[in-house]
Amino acid sequence: MSFSDHDTTDIAPDPGAPVVFRAPVRRLQPPQVADEREALEGWLDYYRAQVVLALDGLPAEALRRRVPESGPSLTGIVKHLTDVEHTWLVERWGERGGRTAYAISYVDDSDEAFRVSDLDDPDALVGAYQEACEKGRDALAGAESLDDAVRDDRRGHIELRWILLNLITETARRSGQAQALREVLLAAEEARIPGRTSPAPSP
């Protein structure tokens, strides 16, 4: 299941409003009846889409704003999850434990994965996230069973089931964080631009 399809909802632009980000995804429903693997992959795709939808309707400046100052920004959350997807599915699983220069050392700098600059384009960051997710799906396609395991230096061996549950947990946690941050940013935008209508909430 891919979340790369555009949302078909037509939203009339406000001529007086700043240029805002439009999420290139549609809302998904998590699977109601499915086998274990389909359910795990379906819930992961659901939370992936929820993260991207949290950015919808906000200008780039707001998307880069950290709230509070010591916390993450919405684009920072997307950047972090891009690293998570690439590390676990593309590198650890797809390359069967291989190491690449892409991996970030959180011991050296735990904030690095969330840090973005004024030059980072939200469309590019979301595009990189979608690309990492798609590569992850490709890596998963070759797996025969959730019981398949890959070598891990710290844990010995880890099953694909563990990797998917780890990804779902982190993506769901960051999705909730992104939705809460979205509400704060929408309120700030309304206060800054009186009369502006907020985009519909992203449930």
Side-chain angles (χ1 to χ4, degrees):
M1 181 189 301
S2 172
F3 60 81
S4 59
D5 296 328
H6 283 62
D7 194 341
T8 56
T9 304
D10 292 327
I11 303 176
D14 180 353
V19 176
V20 298
F21 173 82
R22 289 303 179 196
V25 302
R26 58 185 175 85
R27 288 183 175 82
L28 298 177
Q29 291 299 321
Q32 303 297 317
V33 179
D35 62 28
E36 183 184 14
R37 179 166 176 174
E38 184 181 358
L40 290 175
E41 293 185 25
W43 276 100
L44 179 55
D45 270 329
Y46 169 76
Y47 285 118
R48 284 165 168 165
Q50 290 297 98
V51 168
V52 176
L53 287 167
L55 281 66
D56 190 64
L58 286 163
E61 180 184 359
L63 296 177
R64 299 188 191 102
R65 190 178 307 146
R66 303 178 70 150
V67 180
E69 290 186 5
S70 59
S73 64
L74 282 172
T75 47
I77 289 173
V78 171
K79 181 174 181 283
H80 164 70
L81 289 175
T82 302
D83 294 335
V84 171
E85 290 275 349
H86 195 283
T87 297
W88 285 109
L89 282 183
V90 179
E91 180 185 336
R92 291 291 183 87
W93 180 254
E95 298 175 9
R96 298 301 188 270
R99 296 171 179 265
T100 71
Y102 191 92
I104 286 177
S105 172
Y106 298 106
V107 175
D108 294 337
D109 187 353
S110 60
D111 189 52
E112 172 62 24
F114 294 91
R115 188 175 297 135
V116 294
S117 74
D118 291 342
L119 299 178
D120 286 320
D121 177 47
D123 289 284
L125 289 170
V126 170
Y129 179 50
Q130 291 184 286
E131 181 180 0
C133 293
E134 199 58 45
K135 287 181 178 179
R137 292 188 192 93
D138 291 342
L140 284 174
E144 295 183 0
S145 169
L146 292 174
D147 297 326
D148 290 350
V150 63
R151 178 175 173 76
D152 181 80
D153 290 341
R154 289 198 305 166
R155 302 169 183 84
H157 287 83
I158 49 176
E159 294 181 347
L160 177 58
R161 179 183 290 103
W162 186 95
I163 291 175
L164 285 173
L165 287 170
N166 182 59
L167 277 170
I168 291 169
T169 300
E170 181 63 7
T171 307
R173 182 164 75 100
R174 298 302 176 183
S175 171
Q177 188 178 31
Q179 296 295 333
L181 180 53
R182 169 187 174 81
E183 295 304 315
V184 172
L185 294 170
L186 285 174
E189 287 298 300
E190 286 182 1
R192 189 173 68 87
I193 308 175
R196 182 183 176 191
T197 302
S198 296
S202 175

